[in-house]
Amino acid sequence: MKTIVTTAVAAVTALAAIVPQPAPGQRRPGTYVVSRDPGTRPEGIAVARDGAMYVTSVSDGAVYRGHVHDRELRPFLPGGADGRTRAAGVRLDRHGRILVAGWDTGALFVHAPDGRLLARRVAAGAALNDLAVTDDAVYVTDSAGGGLWRAEVADGWVGDLVPWVPATAFPAAPGFLNGIVVTDDGRVALVADQGTGEPGSERLWRVDLVGRTASVVEVAGGQLGADGLLLDGDRLYGVVNFPDGAGGWSFAVNLALLDAGRRTARVVAQSRPTGLDQSPTTIARDAGRLLWVNSQLNATAPAPPFTVTEVPGLR
């Protein structure tokens, strides 16, 4: 999560019992309604293999749940419950647990598939933004401290958050760490740095999770100082924002091809852009399409419905 202008907070309540299941042959909608409540401000998204969709609210920490065949999501985890007053990135681990980054609460929340709180792990003073889950760990970006935190993941538990790669391990001080993905072998993370807000200050970092060191990925053809990232083999997708040439800002998804060592990236395609009024944040894949969250974080007058939509013009 990163705002260009300002953010706001609001409230959501209620708890859903089950994920709605599609009717046979039902088609996927192009637009999903996360919430019709004013001020929801959705931020993170995760789509499970069975089609369950989870979307967070940075305003009050609510988590919404639905299905890729159902147009409407429903409140699943109430805002404010368990001390979860903010929610940014969300991921699922291989056990079906729901892991939520609690932004400036400094907490990582771990929930069972039925919504029960299993663990609340705190990183003091951190702004936990996005996360990536491997077979044995979860890594979380800290937008305040400029480093990565790690918690061990096992069948029955999630360990404490510990500082894993500090800001001092980067060759230059990170500006605003945000999106993160990890390679299949769990050894390398790619971490987006949105910089200071000035065009050209964005970076993409390659982080050695074993050696706990960081280096700059050389990016050609565009920028990858993204909010949300998605890694698909040697293809890296990132939700980026940039000046629109008319005094405003545009948002799009850049697609880059990575080299084998994940040290260089070449942007080869870009989605059709959208404007500040929608301010998309994070991205997820559902079958052969991409979905992004329309946060409205930077909209002059954010208004419901708050939605998730297909990324236009890119797969």
Side-chain angles (χ1 to χ4, degrees):
M1 178 191 75
K2 178 159 186 188
T3 60
I4 298 172
V5 187
T6 56
T7 59
V9 298
V12 177
T13 57
L15 180 67
I18 59 172
V19 178
Q21 295 301 308
Q26 186 178 349
R27 297 183 62 183
R28 286 167 161 83
T31 298
Y32 299 90
V33 175
V34 177
S35 172
R36 300 182 187 276
D37 293 333
T40 295
R41 303 296 185 94
E43 207 281 344
I45 183 172
V47 177
R49 291 182 179 179
D50 65 359
M53 182 189 302
Y54 299 84
V55 177
T56 61
S57 167
V58 74
S59 294
D60 72 345
V63 178
Y64 296 82
R65 184 169 68 174
H67 194 277
V68 294
H69 290 278
D70 192 338
R71 293 181 183 277
E72 300 268 346
L73 279 71
R74 298 173 176 83
F76 172 57
L77 303 176
D82 306 313
R84 198 189 55 260
T85 56
R86 298 272 206 159
V90 57
R91 291 290 182 270
L92 308 177
D93 71 5
R94 61 193 177 97
H95 307 291
R97 294 174 295 198
I98 305 144
L99 289 80
V100 180
W103 185 229
D104 54 7
T105 67
L108 171 70
F109 300 88
V110 184
H111 292 269
D114 64 4
R116 289 176 297 113
L117 180 68
L118 300 176
R120 181 177 183 269
R121 306 303 189 206
V122 177
L128 300 181
N129 198 332
D130 204 358
L131 51 128
V133 182
T134 68
D135 286 345
D136 61 1
V138 54
Y139 298 92
V140 193
T141 54
D142 179 0
S143 298
L148 299 185
W149 293 77
R150 181 185 187 272
E152 188 174 350
V153 173
D155 287 357
W157 57 281
V158 175
D160 291 336
L161 281 170
V162 297
W164 196 249
V165 184
T168 53
F170 291 74
F176 192 92
L177 294 188
N178 205 330
I180 179 172
V181 290
V182 176
T183 54
D184 289 342
D185 61 8
R187 299 179 64 88
V188 174
L190 298 173
V191 181
D193 184 349
Q194 290 188 289
T196 62
E198 293 296 321
S201 65
E202 310 91 351
R203 294 186 181 93
L204 180 67
W205 298 105
R206 181 190 187 277
V207 178
D208 182 335
L209 295 171
V210 179
R212 304 196 201 184
T213 59
S215 57
V216 174
V217 177
E218 297 298 328
V219 179
Q223 62 123 324
L224 284 169
D227 192 329
L229 290 175
L230 173 67
L231 182 62
D232 183 4
D234 63 354
R235 298 160 68 89
L236 180 66
Y237 299 82
V239 183
V240 299
N241 57 66
F242 46 89
D244 64 5
W249 290 81
S250 290
F251 293 73
V253 174
N254 279 355
L255 165 61
L257 298 181
L258 300 164
D259 74 319
R262 289 5 184 191
R263 299 180 187 279
T264 65
R266 179 169 53 90
V267 176
V268 296
Q270 185 177 85
S271 72
R272 294 196 298 274
T274 191
L276 201 66
D277 58 333
Q278 292 301 313
S279 301
T281 49
T282 42
I283 188 174
R285 180 170 290 287
D286 169 43
R289 63 184 186 153
L290 301 170
L291 302 173
W292 60 6
V293 180
N294 297 307
S295 71
Q296 299 191 48
L297 281 172
N298 303 291
T300 303
F306 294 92
T307 62
V308 168
T309 54
E310 288 188 46
V311 176
L314 190 65
R315 290 183 176 273

